[in-house]
Amino acid sequence: MWTQFLATGHIINIGHDVFKENRKLADKNRESFKKSGVFAVNIMGAIGSGKTTLIEEAIKALSSKYKVAAIAGDVIADMDAARFERHGIKTIPANTGKECHLDAHIVNDLIKKNDLSGYDILFIENVGNLICPTDFDLGEDMKIVVVSVSEGDDIILKHPVIFRTSDLAVINKIDIADAVGVNPETMVRDVKTLNEKIPILLTSKKREETVEEWVKILENEMLKKKA
Ligand code: MG
């Protein structure tokens, strides 16, 4: 039984534990990804942090060598799906309606309808925010949080859970750090305060070497799963 405490001081019981249900389906997804041999990456971050662009850069670099697929999660609209599709990869749009996150159930439905056997990597772009996606395991192999310097240097400490539970933190758009008055090193320090073990990558689409590093990390993690 899941209990919710309301601001009014009342307690309500929500019948069943939605997180428990989600975990069960996430395990099914994990099993399915394993069977298909696909490496699944859940990419989380606010709207405007640059998730879609980073995924596109990875698609461009990896799709000549590997079979790439992407799920584009959004509350509404399919602009991101259209961006992925332009690169000629298998693209699966996922509109959540009014939900602010993808959950294991949505992903389970999609992978039942879309056979991923033979695919090497699946990008799952989550719905744009730093809060709701943290509670929902999708069965993915890797969780990545993307944050842009334009979100301000207090953004990280305001969202501790997502930085504590991700496998990689990306601090993006570092080319505009000066213009927005943010020191990326402060953001790095904040991430380390929350999670001393998490690898941190500084990126900008305009700095080629950072994009190469981003792609290399994804490729290495994918190959580790296949080994
Ligand atoms: Mg996007």
Side-chain angles (χ1 to χ4, degrees), residues 19-35:
F19 298 119
K20 198 166 149 195
E21 279 302 307
N22 190 77
R23 271 195 301 274
K24 262 196 243 164
L25 275 167
D27 285 340
K28 275 194 183 173
N29 294 349
R30 227 180 312 279
E31 199 49 46
S32 166
F33 293 142
K34 199 173 165 192
K35 233 174 162 180

Side-chain angles (χ1 to χ4, degrees), residues 4-207:
Q4 191 169 9
F5 297 91
L6 301 180
T8 54
H10 293 92
I11 296 170
I12 53 164
N13 289 318
I14 310 175
H16 67 290
D17 183 343
V18 286
F19 298 119
K20 198 166 149 195
E21 279 302 307
N22 190 77
R23 271 195 301 274
K24 262 196 243 164
L25 275 167
D27 285 340
K28 275 194 183 173
N29 294 349
R30 227 180 312 279
E31 199 49 46
S32 166
F33 293 142
K34 199 173 165 192
K35 233 174 162 180
S36 309
V38 70
F39 177 68
V41 198
N42 178 8
I43 303 194
M44 304 171 290
I47 292 174
S49 58
K51 300 184 295 299
T52 313
T53 301
L54 283 171
I55 296 170
E56 281 187 285
E57 290 301 321
I59 291 170
K60 280 195 259 172
L62 296 172
S63 60
S64 56
K65 278 198 270 182
Y66 303 105
K67 273 189 91 176
V68 180
I71 292 176
D74 236 319
V75 173
I76 194 163
D78 53 6
M79 274 102 82
D80 290 353
R83 282 171 65 180
F84 296 151
E85 211 154 31
R86 273 204 293 273
H87 301 284
I89 62 149
K90 183 183 185 71
T91 302
I92 308 164
N95 285 342
T96 59
K98 58 184 184 358
E99 298 298 334
C100 56
H101 57 84
L102 290 175
D103 61 28
H105 189 263
I106 296 171
V107 173
N108 190 262
D109 262 359
L110 295 173
I111 60 180
K112 268 191 212 151
K113 289 181 197 141
N114 296 274
D115 184 13
L116 293 173
S117 352
Y119 278 83
D120 298 297
I121 186 162
L122 169 69
F123 292 101
I124 305 171
E125 180 174 347
N126 217 311
V127 181
N129 71 90
L130 290 163
I131 299 171
C132 336
T134 54
D135 286 328
F136 294 86
D137 182 3
L138 306 179
E140 71 281 79
D141 296 288
M142 186 180 194
K143 283 186 211 288
I144 299 177
V145 55
V146 180
V147 65
S148 159
V149 295
S150 58
E151 292 171 72
D153 58 10
D154 54 356
I155 192 78
I156 291 163
L157 294 179
K158 281 182 181 169
H159 299 91
V161 182
I162 200 162
F163 291 93
R164 286 193 183 121
T165 53
S166 292
D167 303 301
L168 171 69
V170 177
I171 298 170
N172 196 23
K173 304 193 187 177
I174 53 165
D175 58 298
I176 59 162
D178 281 348
V180 295
V182 166
N183 181 356
E185 289 311 318
T186 307
M187 298 180 87
V188 169
R189 192 199 60 206
D190 288 349
V191 175
K192 282 187 179 152
T193 306
L194 296 171
N195 183 347
E196 57 179 14
K197 288 197 188 114
I198 192 172
I200 304 167
L201 181 67
L202 275 67
T203 52
S204 158
K205 193 194 170 182
K206 297 193 175 125
R207 298 195 188 159

